[in-house]
Amino acid sequence: NAGVTQTPKFQVLKTGQSMTLQCAQDMNHEYMSWYRQDPGMGLRLIHYSVGAGITDQGEVPNGYNVSRSTTEDFPLRLLSAAPSQTSVYFCASSSPGAGSGYTFGSGTRLTVV
Amino acid sequence: DAKTTQPPSMDCAEGRAANLPCNHSTISGNEYVYWYRQIHSQGPQYIIHGLKNNETNEMASLIITEDRKSSTLILPHATLRDTAVYYCIVGGSNYKLTFGKGTLLTVNP
């Protein structure tokens, strides 16, 4: 049982490049979310999904796209990377209902130069 | 979702109970109180949650006041490994949680 797996763990991009941050969970969780965390800050919600084929925007969605074609995977796409997107990105998943806490991945550290 | 207020930092002696307060005076009737912690730069870890009643699990206890405007997370016997940022979050659903800056708990030997 791997939980929530994020790849890559580290990435350096040049401004304007695109890339996809991968997130996979093996717990059959319906809910998945992407957060970013900047130094000294709490986590901010980028996008979330309540099931396959259903996604919605969070607090800071600009510059990011998501899709949810399967229950297991929830990739985050940066279309044209900017230095302001330098951050640590966390993916999380949970089951419906308040009784389930989120399981977070170990994060992807992204630097845009 | 209701906002929360937490002290930015707290200290605790190893082996003693750590009591972390959280104010959430605008909480609505269907909103839960969640607690997470983040150790160093790892992903946050779910600790406990509650609606009205006090809750206890293997990690901690959650005490919610009768008016639900504040709560306290209790780590009964803090260890050095409990040094982390603790987040108190209020929300009606568990897929759209809003994290604040949390409380940095430092457990001292």
Side-chain angles (χ1 to χ4, degrees):
Chain A
N1 190 343
V4 177
T5 302
Q6 292 186 237
T7 55
K9 294 190 181 301
F10 301 93
Q11 183 70 48
V12 178
L13 285 180
K14 293 183 178 179
T15 297
Q17 286 185 318
S18 63
M19 80 160 295
T20 299
L21 279 63
Q22 301 292 342
C23 177
Q25 53 93 6
D26 61 358
M27 298 169 284
N28 202 32
H29 284 168
E30 291 187 37
Y31 295 167
M32 297 187 74
S33 298
W34 275 103
Y35 289 85
R36 61 175 287 175
Q37 185 172 33
D38 300 316
M41 303 287 290
L43 283 76
R44 291 185 293 171
L45 181 63
I46 305 172
H47 285 285
Y48 65 95
S49 169
V50 298
I54 306 170
T55 64
D56 205 347
Q57 297 180 351
E59 181 186 359
V60 288
N62 292 338
Y64 308 95
N65 278 352
V66 293
S67 61
R68 184 95 180 270
S69 56
T70 67
T71 299
E72 295 78 19
D73 300 299
F74 191 42
L76 179 71
R77 280 182 283 276
L78 283 71
L79 300 179
S80 178
S84 60
Q85 294 179 303
T86 293
S87 189
V88 181
Y89 292 83
F90 290 103
C91 179
S93 72
S94 71
S95 295
S100 300
Y102 257 130
T103 300
F104 280 81
S106 58
T108 294
R109 296 182 179 276
L110 175 68
T111 301
V112 182
V113 298
Chain B
D1 292 342
K3 289 189 175 181
T4 62
T5 303
Q6 298 178 254
S9 64
M10 294 182 64
D11 286 331
C12 176
E14 188 177 20
R16 304 296 294 268
N19 297 281
L20 292 90
C22 180
N23 287 323
H24 32 79
S25 58
T26 60
I27 190 171
S28 61
N30 63 347
E31 290 184 314
Y32 286 76
V33 179
Y34 299 87
W35 282 85
Y36 285 77
R37 73 180 182 182
Q38 187 173 26
I39 297 173
H40 193 41
S41 56
Q42 300 175 19
Q45 176 188 23
Y46 165 80
I47 301 173
I48 198 168
H49 78 281
L51 182 63
K52 294 181 180 179
N53 300 320
N54 298 337
E55 302 288 344
T56 296
N57 63 20
E58 65 278 5
M59 291 183 66
S61 294
L62 174 60
I63 308 297
I64 302 174
T65 58
E66 191 169 347
D67 63 7
R68 303 212 318 129
K69 292 185 177 182
S70 65
S71 60
T72 301
L73 179 74
I74 301 172
L75 307 179
H77 306 287
T79 71
L80 299 179
R81 288 176 293 181
D82 291 321
T83 292
V85 177
Y86 287 78
Y87 297 99
C88 169
I89 303 164
V90 171
S93 64
N94 69 334
Y95 59 81
K96 202 175 177 184
L97 300 178
T98 300
F99 287 76
K101 293 187 178 182
T103 297
L104 173 60
L105 173 68
T106 302
V107 180
N108 300 306

